[in-house]
Amino acid sequence: MTAETAQSEPRTAGRRKRSLLFVLEDDPYARDLLVEVAGDAGWDVRGFASIPSMRRALHDDSPDLVVVDDDVADGSGGDFAREVREDGDRRGLGIILLTDAPPSRRAELAKWASVVAKPFNLADLEQRLSAI
């Protein structure tokens, strides 16, 4: 397994390629699925397995949207999302946070990210990504 997966072209023929999207998910199967769904929605996608790898990529690139799992092995994806949101250069960055946290934690996370409760329907997520 690699720490990063990349997909440079969307999988769906006829869809216009969209801007750059980063996915942070430490589970390789979930990450690959999210990368595929986002690619099918027309995004140029890069997947990351850890907070440090995404942090490095954010230093080098400017994605238009990030999808972050709240519960990653090396820390809190929600806290990382807040850190990204508070970065003055990234205040306009779209953030979708995937979480199975209780409602009180989801309400807290919603202060700095768009929250999607787990489990979620992949078709709904693809529709949401297509609408952005």
Side-chain angles (χ1 to χ4, degrees), residues 14-34:
R15 286 200 183 163
R16 185 174 64 101
K17 183 173 157 180
R18 300 241 174 116
S19 299
L20 184 60
L21 180 144
F22 284 0
V23 173
L24 173 60
E25 170 58 71
D26 59 340
D27 179 283
Y29 302 107
R31 183 176 58 251
D32 288 348
L33 185 59
L34 290 167

Side-chain angles (χ1 to χ4, degrees), residues 24 66-71 76-82 94-100 105-106 108-110 112-118 120 128:
L24 173 60
V66 294
V67 176
V68 178
D69 181 32
D70 184 32
D71 185 24
S76 167
D79 292 343
F80 175 65
R82 183 182 62 223
I95 301 173
I96 296 176
L97 194 60
L98 309 175
T99 186
D100 60 358
R105 171 74 173 155
R106 288 196 307 256
E108 178 186 349
L109 296 170
W112 56 83
S114 176
V115 176
V116 174
K118 290 180 176 180
F120 54 88
R128 190 170 185 170

Side-chain angles (χ1 to χ4, degrees), residues 27-121:
D27 179 283
Y29 302 107
R31 183 176 58 251
D32 288 348
L33 185 59
L34 290 167
V35 166
E36 182 176 339
V37 167
D40 287 348
W43 290 89
D44 182 13
V45 188
R46 291 179 60 195
F48 302 90
S50 69
I51 290 172
S53 64
M54 184 182 267
R55 185 178 281 123
R56 283 189 302 274
L58 284 169
H59 180 9
D60 296 334
D61 285 318
S62 296
D64 298 283
L65 179 67
V66 294
V67 176
V68 178
D69 181 32
D70 184 32
D71 185 24
V72 290
D74 59 350
S76 167
D79 292 343
F80 175 65
R82 183 182 62 223
E83 173 189 321
V84 169
R85 171 67 67 226
E86 291 174 350
D87 179 342
D89 294 334
R90 302 215 180 269
R91 288 219 169 121
L93 176 63
I95 301 173
I96 296 176
L97 194 60
L98 309 175
T99 186
D100 60 358
S104 59
R105 171 74 173 155
R106 288 196 307 256
E108 178 186 349
L109 296 170
K111 294 176 184 174
W112 56 83
S114 176
V115 176
V116 174
K118 290 180 176 180
F120 54 88
N121 181 303

